[in-house]
Amino acid sequence: MARVLLTGAAGFLGSHLCDRLLAERHQLTGIDNLSTGSLENLSHLESHPDFRFVTHDVRDPIDLGTFDIVMNFACPASPPTYQLDPVGTARTCFQGTLNSLEVARRDGARFMQASTSEVYGDPTVHPQPETYRGTVNPIGPRACYDEGKRVGETLCFDYHRQYGLEMKVIRIFNTYGPRMNPDDGRVVSNFVVQALLGHDITIFGEGEQTRSFCFVDDLVDGIMRMLNSQSGFTGPVNLGNPEEFTIRELAEIVIEMTGSQSRIVYRPLPTDDPRQRRPTIDMAQQELKWSPSVRLREGLSRTIEYFDNVLSRRSAA
């Protein structure tokens, strides 16, 4: 049993990590400023004896006890939400990571940083290996997140070199599943909600850009394998599903699976939107013995069921 601090605990991914950490009998303190997270994601843990939730912003110093493991997962993750307050997003990526690293350095704790495939920008190498340094526009509207996550990785490796901190960096590719915010603007949640409501399915660009979609249960398994990997293994490691789909293909699958009458409509492609995104996961397979097992249709079925229940509750309310 370890004492774990998890930032971003009330978010989509953070709440699933809470479940897994508690299932493995850790003592867990979760923090979140609830800017994009929701206490509803944690309501089933309210009386859990090994769980404590604290409303706290990682941009402020963290003094909540002593920890064996610090996991930094705090940051808005969808372009519409992180672009609402780009300065705040950049501060979360830098100051939030710095404050979390300071807790780990103070306590001699193991540290994990949730980075992202966005560090590769609009890639000129496909698929993307961890050795690819990326093509990011440092002055574009997505830079608050893309460059913010890149500097977060820099801080982790500098703390490792300068202070000997035991740390691990994961690069998360598009993830989906239950507890996604139906209004956060990510492509899977957008398409599923629009289809269930019978609204037009909005595709930006011509729909030929590609993404690789990893179901949340697979991702959490990869995260835990990385967390428990040998101490000298720092990463960064890609965690994602190497199956690649065009955005149009995803829209067509969602319409089919929901039985929706929605039409597909097209809007201009946002600035710096990546044209291709697919991970190489050779390192995760070799070092972590990890690869995803949930196929897209299986994961979408569970996600559609979740959003159908959410929309039904909203309608009833």
Side-chain angles (χ1 to χ4, degrees), residues 3-316:
R3 297 162 298 178
V4 181
L5 173 67
L6 173 64
T7 74
F12 157 55
L13 180 54
S15 65
H16 284 277
L17 275 172
C18 287
D19 290 343
R20 181 65 178 268
L21 288 162
L22 291 169
E24 297 193 3
R25 304 186 61 79
H26 296 301
Q27 291 181 334
L28 177 60
T29 297
I31 66 174
D32 202 300
N33 69 355
L34 302 177
S35 60
T36 58
S38 171
L39 288 177
E40 185 177 350
N41 289 337
L42 301 174
S43 59
H44 61 293
L45 301 177
E46 195 171 346
S47 60
H48 197 291
D50 292 324
F51 180 61
R52 172 177 62 144
F53 177 78
V54 180
T55 303
H56 183 84
D57 194 318
V58 293
R59 293 171 291 192
D60 299 324
I62 303 168
D63 187 11
L64 296 170
T66 303
F67 301 97
D68 306 300
I69 296 170
V70 177
M71 304 176 71
N72 183 33
F73 282 73
C75 194
S78 71
T81 54
Y82 66 62
Q83 289 177 33
L84 284 174
D85 179 12
V87 174
T89 297
R91 287 188 60 222
T92 298
C93 290
F94 176 78
Q95 193 66 52
T97 302
L98 187 67
N99 287 336
S100 302
L101 282 164
E102 276 298 300
V103 173
R105 183 168 80 98
R106 178 198 69 199
D107 295 346
R110 188 186 322 157
F111 184 84
M112 172 173 278
Q113 172 74 356
S115 190
T116 171
S117 60
E118 296 293 336
V119 300
Y120 299 122
D122 188 6
T124 58
V125 172
H126 189 76
Q128 294 83 56
E130 292 87 350
T131 52
Y132 175 53
R133 295 184 181 181
T135 307
V136 173
N137 176 7
I139 60 172
R142 299 171 69 107
C144 57
Y145 184 74
D146 300 358
E147 294 287 23
K149 286 294 189 177
R150 285 162 71 94
V151 79
E153 290 193 15
T154 299
L155 283 170
C156 291
F157 280 89
D158 284 341
Y159 265 68
H160 176 65
R161 286 185 286 258
Q162 186 168 341
Y163 302 120
L165 182 73
E166 182 186 354
M167 65 85 197
K168 299 174 184 297
V169 174
I170 54 172
R171 290 175 176 167
I172 298 171
F173 282 67
N174 291 64
T175 305
Y176 69 100
R179 299 185 199 160
M180 294 183 80
N181 185 334
D183 306 310
D184 76 354
R186 287 188 245 200
V187 64
V188 172
S189 53
N190 267 5
F191 285 2
V192 171
V193 170
Q194 288 170 339
L196 289 172
L197 293 175
H199 296 169
D200 291 341
I201 302 281
T202 307
I203 288 181
F204 295 97
E206 297 180 0
E208 293 304 311
Q209 64 270 41
T210 66
R211 296 292 184 270
S212 302
F213 301 102
C214 186
F215 190 66
V216 64
D217 289 359
D218 280 334
L219 181 67
V220 168
D221 183 57
I223 290 169
M224 296 305 295
R225 286 171 183 257
M226 182 61 173
L227 181 66
N228 296 318
S229 63
Q230 58 184 348
S231 61
F233 181 58
T234 62
V237 175
N238 289 340
L239 293 180
N241 193 319
E243 280 193 297
E244 187 175 12
F245 298 87
T246 69
I247 296 301
R248 184 186 295 114
E249 284 177 320
L250 175 67
E252 291 169 349
I253 292 170
V254 168
I255 289 172
E256 175 202 330
M257 292 185 65
T258 56
S260 176
Q261 299 300 310
S262 296
R263 300 177 307 125
I264 295 177
V265 298
Y266 297 88
R267 298 286 183 266
L269 191 67
T271 302
D272 297 330
D273 192 70
R275 291 162 295 178
Q276 291 181 302
R277 185 63 59 75
R278 175 161 68 94
T280 61
I281 61 169
D282 296 356
M283 187 181 297
Q285 290 173 322
Q286 179 178 340
E287 298 291 339
L288 308 179
K289 304 296 184 282
W290 176 86
S291 58
S293 61
V294 179
R295 304 298 295 271
L296 180 63
R297 285 179 176 270
E298 178 189 349
L300 281 177
S301 177
R302 294 162 66 180
T303 306
I304 289 167
E305 180 182 5
Y306 169 78
F307 278 120
D308 195 25
N309 290 332
V310 169
L311 295 175
S312 296
R313 290 198 303 271
R314 283 188 178 185
S315 178

